Amino acid sequence: MHHVLPPEKYFHWRAGEITRLEAFCDVVFGFAITLLVVSLEVPRSFEELMHVMRGFLPFAACFAQFVLIWITHYRFSRRYGLEDGYTVFLNVLLLFLVLFYVYPLKFLFTHILGGLVGMETLEGVGWHDTSVLMRVYSSGFAAVFALFALMYLRAYKLREKFALNPVETLITRVAIEENLALTGFGIVSFFIAFKEPGLAGMIYMGIGIFFWIHSSIKGKRIRLLHEKLTAPPRKAPAPTEAPVEN
């Protein structure tokens, strides 16, 4: 079967053909990215074209956010193929958040990154408005990855049904930890935004450091557990013959 992402070394994907739920989710993600594009007017002059080109960096940041969410969703769907009522409900909530946050996300990144590429500062956006924008973004960020944590928690509870081996069970627990950590980053940023909106944004720079440390530790545990389970059994030493007495 053809996969968008290569299969994982330590996890056997249990999903079969692409289901209607996965197809529907892909359509919604594609529509969300389309909204980022169609919100731009067709330039009618060179000056307008340059203004659109300066919006490349904010657009790229928004695009990267949606791709990250899509990859996380795709990997979960392929790993378990889980589509019970509870998981479908979580998926619907996720898609709602993705669509709802298209324009707030673009507005925020235009406000933050626009100055780096020579775009004009958004009118009427002061300290209080920036604080509100960061709270809106942080609440959505936390909600999205909290939903992923709940999805993986559901899969972990059904680990016996899926016949997950010890390595796959550990990978599922690691995924829960990672998504809870991302949720925590969003929550911390949300509360900091009340006092220091700039610092609230800088909090997310710690995500890379967290994943570097966490992946190093957990990745080693996963490899060692896999090697332990796949190692050939040790052969028992051959019995030695007792010396013959003359």
Coordinates of all heavy atoms in Angstrom, one line a residue, residues 82-126:
L82 N -8.3 3.8 14.2 CA -9.4 3.9 15.2 C -10.5 4.8 14.8 O -10.2 6.0 14.6 CB -8.8 4.3 16.6 CG -9.7 4.3 17.8 CD1 -10.3 3.0 18.0 CD2 -8.9 4.7 19.0
E83 N -11.7 4.3 14.7 CA -12.8 5.2 14.3 C -14.1 4.9 15.0 O -15.2 4.8 14.5 CB -13.0 5.1 12.8 CG -11.9 5.6 11.9 CD -12.3 5.7 10.4 OE1 -13.4 5.3 10.1 OE2 -11.4 6.1 9.6
D84 N -13.9 4.7 16.3 CA -15.1 4.5 17.2 C -15.8 5.9 17.4 O -15.3 6.9 17.0 CB -14.8 3.9 18.5 CG -13.8 4.7 19.3 OD1 -13.1 5.5 18.7 OD2 -13.8 4.5 20.5
G85 N -17.0 5.9 18.0 CA -17.7 7.1 18.1 C -17.0 8.2 18.9 O -17.0 9.4 18.5
Y86 N -16.3 7.8 19.9 CA -15.5 8.8 20.7 C -14.4 9.4 19.9 O -14.2 10.7 19.9 CB -14.9 8.1 22.0 CG -14.1 9.0 22.9 CD1 -14.7 10.0 23.6 CD2 -12.7 8.8 23.0 CE1 -13.9 10.9 24.4 CE2 -12.0 9.6 23.8 CZ -12.6 10.7 24.5 OH -11.8 11.5 25.3
T87 N -13.7 8.6 19.2 CA -12.6 9.1 18.3 C -13.1 10.0 17.2 O -12.5 11.0 16.9 CB -11.7 8.0 17.8 OG1 -11.3 7.1 18.8 CG2 -10.5 8.5 17.1
V88 N -14.2 9.6 16.6 CA -14.8 10.5 15.6 C -15.2 11.8 16.1 O -15.0 12.9 15.5 CB -16.0 9.8 15.0 CG1 -16.8 10.7 14.0 CG2 -15.6 8.5 14.2
F89 N -15.7 11.9 17.3 CA -16.1 13.1 18.0 C -14.9 14.0 18.2 O -14.9 15.2 18.0 CB -16.8 12.8 19.3 CG -17.1 14.0 20.2 CD1 -18.0 14.9 19.8 CD2 -16.3 14.3 21.3 CE1 -18.3 16.1 20.6 CE2 -16.6 15.4 22.1 CZ -17.6 16.3 21.7
L90 N -13.8 13.4 18.7 CA -12.5 14.2 18.8 C -12.0 14.7 17.5 O -11.5 15.8 17.4 CB -11.5 13.3 19.5 CG -11.7 12.8 20.9 CD1 -10.6 11.9 21.4 CD2 -11.9 14.0 21.9
N91 N -12.2 13.9 16.5 CA -11.8 14.4 15.1 C -12.6 15.6 14.7 O -12.1 16.5 14.1 CB -11.9 13.2 14.1 CG -10.6 12.3 14.1 OD1 -9.7 12.6 13.3 ND2 -10.6 11.3 14.9
V92 N -13.9 15.5 14.9 CA -14.8 16.6 14.5 C -14.4 17.9 15.3 O -14.3 19.0 14.7 CB -16.2 16.3 14.8 CG1 -17.2 17.5 14.6 CG2 -16.7 15.1 13.9
L93 N -14.1 17.8 16.6 CA -13.7 18.9 17.3 C -12.3 19.5 16.8 O -12.2 20.7 16.7 CB -13.5 18.6 18.8 CG -14.7 18.3 19.6 CD1 -14.4 17.9 21.0 CD2 -15.7 19.5 19.6
L94 N -11.4 18.6 16.4 CA -10.2 19.0 15.8 C -10.4 19.8 14.5 O -9.8 20.9 14.3 CB -9.3 17.8 15.6 CG -7.9 18.1 14.9 CD1 -7.0 18.9 15.7 CD2 -7.3 16.8 14.5
L95 N -11.2 19.3 13.6 CA -11.5 20.0 12.4 C -12.1 21.3 12.6 O -11.8 22.3 11.9 CB -12.3 19.1 11.5 CG -11.7 17.7 11.1 CD1 -12.7 16.9 10.2 CD2 -10.4 18.0 10.4
F96 N -13.0 21.4 13.6 CA -13.7 22.7 13.9 C -12.6 23.7 14.3 O -12.7 24.9 13.9 CB -14.7 22.5 15.0 CG -15.2 23.8 15.6 CD1 -16.2 24.4 14.9 CD2 -14.7 24.3 16.8 CE1 -16.8 25.6 15.4 CE2 -15.3 25.5 17.3 CZ -16.3 26.1 16.6
L97 N -11.7 23.3 15.2 CA -10.6 24.2 15.6 C -9.8 24.7 14.4 O -9.4 25.8 14.3 CB -9.8 23.6 16.7 CG -10.5 23.4 18.0 CD1 -9.5 22.6 19.0 CD2 -10.8 24.8 18.7
V98 N -9.4 23.7 13.6 CA -8.6 24.1 12.4 C -9.2 25.1 11.5 O -8.6 26.1 11.2 CB -8.3 22.8 11.6 CG1 -7.7 23.1 10.2 CG2 -7.3 21.9 12.3
L99 N -10.5 25.0 11.2 CA -11.2 25.9 10.4 C -11.4 27.3 11.1 O -11.3 28.3 10.5 CB -12.5 25.4 10.0 CG -12.5 24.2 9.0 CD1 -13.9 23.7 8.7 CD2 -11.8 24.6 7.7
F100 N -11.7 27.2 12.4 CA -12.0 28.4 13.2 C -10.7 29.3 13.3 O -10.8 30.5 13.3 CB -12.5 28.0 14.6 CG -12.8 29.2 15.4 CD1 -14.0 29.9 15.3 CD2 -11.9 29.7 16.4 CE1 -14.3 31.0 16.1 CE2 -12.2 30.8 17.2 CZ -13.4 31.5 17.0
Y101 N -9.6 28.6 13.4 CA -8.3 29.4 13.6 C -7.6 29.9 12.4 O -6.5 30.4 12.5 CB -7.4 28.6 14.5 CG -7.7 28.8 16.0 CD1 -8.7 28.1 16.6 CD2 -7.0 29.7 16.8 CE1 -9.0 28.3 18.0 CE2 -7.3 29.9 18.1 CZ -8.3 29.2 18.7 OH -8.6 29.4 20.0
V102 N -8.2 29.7 11.2 CA -7.5 30.0 10.0 C -7.2 31.5 10.0 O -6.0 32.0 9.9 CB -8.3 29.7 8.7 CG1 -7.7 30.3 7.5 CG2 -8.3 28.2 8.6
Y103 N -8.2 32.4 10.1 CA -8.0 33.8 10.1 C -7.3 34.4 11.3 O -6.4 35.3 11.1 CB -9.3 34.5 9.8 CG -9.8 34.2 8.4 CD1 -11.0 33.5 8.2 CD2 -9.1 34.6 7.3 CE1 -11.5 33.3 6.9 CE2 -9.6 34.4 6.0 CZ -10.8 33.7 5.8 OH -11.2 33.4 4.6
P104 N -7.6 34.0 12.5 CA -6.8 34.5 13.7 C -5.3 34.1 13.6 O -4.5 34.9 13.9 CB -7.5 33.8 14.9 CG -8.9 33.5 14.4 CD -8.8 33.2 13.0
L105 N -5.1 32.9 13.1 CA -3.7 32.5 12.9 C -2.9 33.4 11.9 O -1.8 33.8 12.2 CB -3.6 31.0 12.5 CG -2.3 30.3 12.5 CD1 -1.8 30.2 14.0 CD2 -2.4 28.9 11.9
K106 N -3.6 33.6 10.8 CA -2.9 34.5 9.8 C -2.7 35.9 10.3 O -1.7 36.5 10.0 CB -3.7 34.5 8.5 CG -3.1 35.2 7.4 CD -3.9 35.2 6.1 CE -3.2 35.9 5.0 NZ -3.9 35.9 3.7
F107 N -3.7 36.4 11.0 CA -3.7 37.8 11.5 C -2.5 37.9 12.5 O -1.7 38.9 12.5 CB -5.0 38.1 12.2 CG -5.1 39.6 12.6 CD1 -5.6 40.5 11.7 CD2 -4.7 40.0 13.8 CE1 -5.7 41.8 12.1 CE2 -4.8 41.3 14.2 CZ -5.3 42.3 13.3
L108 N -2.4 36.9 13.4 CA -1.3 36.9 14.4 C 0.1 36.9 13.8 O 0.9 37.7 14.1 CB -1.5 35.7 15.4 CG -0.4 35.5 16.4 CD1 -0.4 36.7 17.4 CD2 -0.6 34.2 17.2
F109 N 0.3 36.0 12.8 CA 1.6 35.8 12.2 C 1.9 37.0 11.3 O 3.1 37.4 11.2 CB 1.7 34.5 11.5 CG 2.0 33.4 12.3 CD1 1.1 32.4 12.5 CD2 3.2 33.2 13.0 CE1 1.3 31.3 13.3 CE2 3.5 32.2 13.8 CZ 2.5 31.2 14.0
T110 N 0.9 37.6 10.7 CA 1.2 38.9 10.0 C 1.6 40.0 10.9 O 2.5 40.8 10.6 CB -0.1 39.3 9.2 OG1 -0.5 38.2 8.3 CG2 0.1 40.5 8.4
H111 N 1.0 40.0 12.1 CA 1.3 41.1 13.1 C 2.7 40.8 13.6 O 3.5 41.8 13.8 CB 0.3 41.0 14.2 CG 0.6 42.0 15.3 ND1 0.7 43.4 15.1 CD2 0.8 41.8 16.6 CE1 1.0 43.9 16.3 NE2 1.1 43.0 17.2
I112 N 3.1 39.6 13.8 CA 4.4 39.3 14.5 C 5.5 39.3 13.5 O 6.6 39.9 13.7 CB 4.3 37.9 15.2 CG1 3.3 37.9 16.3 CG2 5.7 37.5 15.7 CD1 3.2 36.6 17.0
L113 N 5.3 38.7 12.3 CA 6.4 38.5 11.3 C 6.4 39.5 10.2 O 7.4 39.6 9.5 CB 6.3 37.1 10.7 CG 6.4 35.9 11.7 CD1 6.2 34.6 11.0 CD2 7.7 36.0 12.5
G114 N 5.3 40.3 10.1 CA 5.2 41.2 9.0 C 6.3 42.3 9.0 O 6.9 42.7 7.9
G115 N 6.7 42.7 10.2 CA 7.7 43.8 10.3 C 9.1 43.3 9.8 O 9.9 44.1 9.3
L116 N 9.3 42.0 9.8 CA 10.6 41.4 9.4 C 10.8 41.5 7.9 O 11.9 41.4 7.4 CB 10.8 40.0 9.9 CG 10.7 39.7 11.4 CD1 10.8 38.3 11.7 CD2 11.8 40.5 12.1
V117 N 9.7 41.6 7.2 CA 9.8 41.6 5.7 C 9.3 42.9 5.1 O 9.0 43.0 3.9 CB 9.0 40.4 5.1 CG1 9.7 39.1 5.4 CG2 7.6 40.4 5.6
G118 N 9.2 43.9 6.0 CA 8.9 45.2 5.5 C 7.4 45.5 5.3 O 7.1 46.5 4.6
M119 N 6.5 44.7 5.9 CA 5.1 44.9 5.8 C 4.7 46.0 6.7 O 5.3 46.2 7.8 CB 4.3 43.7 6.1 CG 4.5 42.5 5.1 SD 3.5 41.1 5.4 CE 1.8 41.8 5.1
E120 N 3.7 46.8 6.4 CA 3.2 47.8 7.3 C 2.6 47.2 8.5 O 2.0 46.2 8.5 CB 2.2 48.7 6.5 CG 2.7 49.4 5.3 CD 1.6 50.3 4.7 OE1 0.5 50.2 5.2 OE2 1.9 50.9 3.6
T121 N 2.8 47.9 9.6 CA 2.2 47.4 10.9 C 0.7 47.5 10.8 O 0.1 48.4 10.3 CB 2.7 48.3 12.1 OG1 4.1 48.3 12.1 CG2 2.2 47.8 13.4
L122 N 0.0 46.4 11.4 CA -1.4 46.4 11.3 C -2.0 47.6 12.2 O -1.5 47.8 13.3 CB -1.9 45.1 11.9 CG -1.5 43.8 11.1 CD1 -2.0 42.6 11.8 CD2 -2.1 43.9 9.7
E123 N -2.9 48.2 11.6 CA -3.5 49.4 12.3 C -4.3 49.0 13.5 O -5.0 48.1 13.5 CB -4.4 50.2 11.3 CG -3.6 50.7 10.1 CD -4.5 51.5 9.1 OE1 -5.7 51.6 9.4 OE2 -4.0 51.9 8.1
G124 N -4.2 49.9 14.5 CA -5.0 49.7 15.7 C -4.7 48.6 16.6 O -5.5 48.2 17.5
V125 N -3.5 47.9 16.4 CA -3.2 46.7 17.2 C -2.2 47.2 18.3 O -1.0 47.4 18.0 CB -2.6 45.6 16.4 CG1 -2.2 44.4 17.3 CG2 -3.5 45.2 15.3
G126 N -2.7 47.4 19.5 CA -1.8 47.8 20.6 C -1.4 46.7 21.5 O -1.6 45.5 21.2

